């Protein structure tokens, strides 16, 4: 009988050994392998949900033991949650934007809203009678000699390209030439001496059209007097300046 028992395929101790091979020891406790696999899956699911819901921590979401998200519906109590909450604090309404969409930061009103001219209130303590009679004008400072040459040189050079005297006249009227009006023919002639014959003819036409509108006859006389005085210097750049 003993020999028959020894020849049996499994004894009681061997059966226990086979069952123990399917267990794993954790912290001194023997846990089945299937339970460990399920625990790992649940833990991984919890970490993923916790990571995704970190931005929405104040919305009352919680994670169950099975890794499922539960909606508790708790109103955020943290100051940050109240600040970011755009819903009505009174608990009423249909969830629409506050003030019809005109209550956000940097918003000037609802779309399509047109503001009327504000009437002056006489009873206003800051009211001033002189404000109604005030006239505001744009003041253009007169050009000095350096700014004059820097501003007018491109205008005259462009005139040599298009030949429109009216455009030059309008541009000069927008400038405050002051006492530098007589210098307009001086600069035009100086640039024409360095150019072609066609440029000199265009300069003659320009001075004729500007006389009486932008510059006066006295300004033209003064400009040619200055050109004759500066003739020795003009000869250095244009040897034929006296003949021209």
């Amino acid at each position: 009988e003993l020999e028959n028992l020894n020849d049996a395929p499994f004894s009681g101790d061997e059966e226990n050994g086979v069952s123990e091979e399917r267990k794993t020891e954790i912290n001194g406790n023997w846990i089945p392998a299937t339970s460990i696999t399920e625990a790992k899956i649940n833990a991984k699911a919890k970490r993923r949900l916790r990571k995704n819901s970190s931005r929405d921590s104040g919305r009352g979401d919680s994670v169950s033991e099975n890794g499922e998200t539960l909606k508790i519906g708790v109103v955020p109590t943290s100051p940050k949650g109240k600040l970011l909450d755009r819903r009505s604090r009174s608990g009423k309404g249909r969830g629409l934007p506050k003030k019809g969409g005109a209550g956000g930061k940097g918003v000037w009103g609802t779309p399509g809203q047109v503001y009327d001219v504000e009437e002056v209130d006489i009873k206003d303590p800051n009211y001033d009678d002189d404000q109604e009679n005030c006239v505001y004008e744009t003041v253009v400072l007169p050009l000095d000699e350096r700014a004059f040459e820097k501003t007018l040189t491109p205008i005259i050079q462009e005139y040599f390209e298009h030949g429109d005297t009216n455009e030059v006249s309008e541009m000069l009227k927008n400038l405050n030439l002051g006492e530098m009006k007589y210098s307009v023919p001086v600069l035009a002639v100086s640039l024409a001496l360095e150019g072609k014959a066609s440029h000199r003819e265009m300069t003659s036409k320009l001075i004729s059209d500007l006389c009486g509108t932008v510059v006066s006859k006295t300004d033209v006389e003064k400009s040619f007097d200055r050109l004759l005085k500066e003739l020795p210097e003009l000869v250095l750049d244009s040897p034929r300046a006296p003949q021209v």
Side-chain angles (χ1 to χ4, degrees):
E1 291 178 356
L2 291 175
E3 291 177 357
N4 294 332
L5 291 175
N6 293 332
D7 294 338
F10 295 102
S11 61
D13 295 338
E14 290 177 350
E15 291 180 358
N16 295 333
V18 173
S19 61
E20 289 178 356
E21 289 179 356
R22 300 178 183 176
K23 299 180 180 180
T24 305
E25 183 179 2
I26 298 179
N27 297 330
N29 299 323
W30 293 91
I31 303 175
T34 55
S35 300
I36 295 175
T37 305
E38 294 178 357
K40 289 182 179 180
I41 295 175
N42 293 337
K44 186 176 181 180
K46 287 182 180 181
R47 286 196 302 269
R48 185 178 301 174
L49 291 174
R50 191 180 300 109
K51 183 178 180 180
N52 295 335
S53 62
S54 59
R55 298 179 181 177
D56 304 329
S57 58
R59 297 185 178 179
D61 299 348
S62 62
V63 180
S64 64
E65 296 180 355
N66 297 329
E68 299 177 355
T69 305
L70 300 178
K71 301 289 183 177
I72 302 177
V74 180
V75 179
T77 57
S78 62
K80 185 177 180 180
K82 291 183 179 179
L83 181 62
L84 300 177
D85 184 18
R86 293 183 177 273
R87 293 175 296 179
S88 176
R89 293 188 177 89
S90 62
K92 300 179 181 179
R94 296 174 293 170
L96 300 177
K98 298 178 181 178
K99 300 181 181 179
K105 183 178 181 181
V107 179
W108 288 52
T110 56
Q113 182 176 358
V114 180
Y115 294 93
D116 298 332
V117 179
E118 185 177 357
E119 297 181 359
V120 181
D121 187 6
I122 301 178
K123 297 181 181 180
D124 189 354
N126 297 325
Y127 174 76
D128 188 3
D129 296 338
D130 298 334
Q131 290 182 354
E132 296 183 358
N133 300 325
C134 288
V135 178
Y136 298 93
E137 296 180 356
T138 303
V139 178
V140 181
L141 297 177
L143 299 176
D144 55 5
E145 185 175 357
R146 184 177 179 181
F148 173 84
E149 184 176 355
K150 185 178 180 181
T151 304
L152 264 71
T153 299
I155 296 177
I156 297 176
Q157 290 177 347
E158 289 179 2
Y159 165 70
F160 291 155
E161 298 294 334
H162 56 74
D164 188 359
T165 58
N166 293 328
E167 182 177 348
V168 178
S169 177
E170 292 296 329
M171 296 179 70
L172 294 179
K173 288 179 181 179
N174 295 330
L175 300 175
N176 188 359
L177 299 176
E179 298 179 356
M180 301 292 295
K181 287 183 178 181
Y182 76 96
S183 298
V184 175
V186 175
L187 182 61
V189 173
S190 300
L191 294 175
L193 292 176
E194 301 174 1
K196 304 176 183 178
S198 59
H199 293 170
R200 294 191 286 271
E201 183 66 26
M202 294 173 66
T203 302
S204 178
K205 185 175 186 303
L206 177 64
I207 295 174
S208 177
D209 292 346
L210 294 181
C211 185
T213 57
V214 178
V215 295
S216 61
K217 293 183 179 180
T218 305
D219 294 330
V220 176
E221 293 174 359
K222 187 177 179 179
S223 65
F224 277 95
D225 288 340
R226 181 178 173 182
L227 283 171
L228 293 175
K229 291 179 181 179
E230 295 179 353
L231 190 59
E233 298 180 1
L234 295 175
V235 172
L236 299 177
D237 297 330
S238 303
R240 296 185 67 255
Q243 291 79 11
V244 173

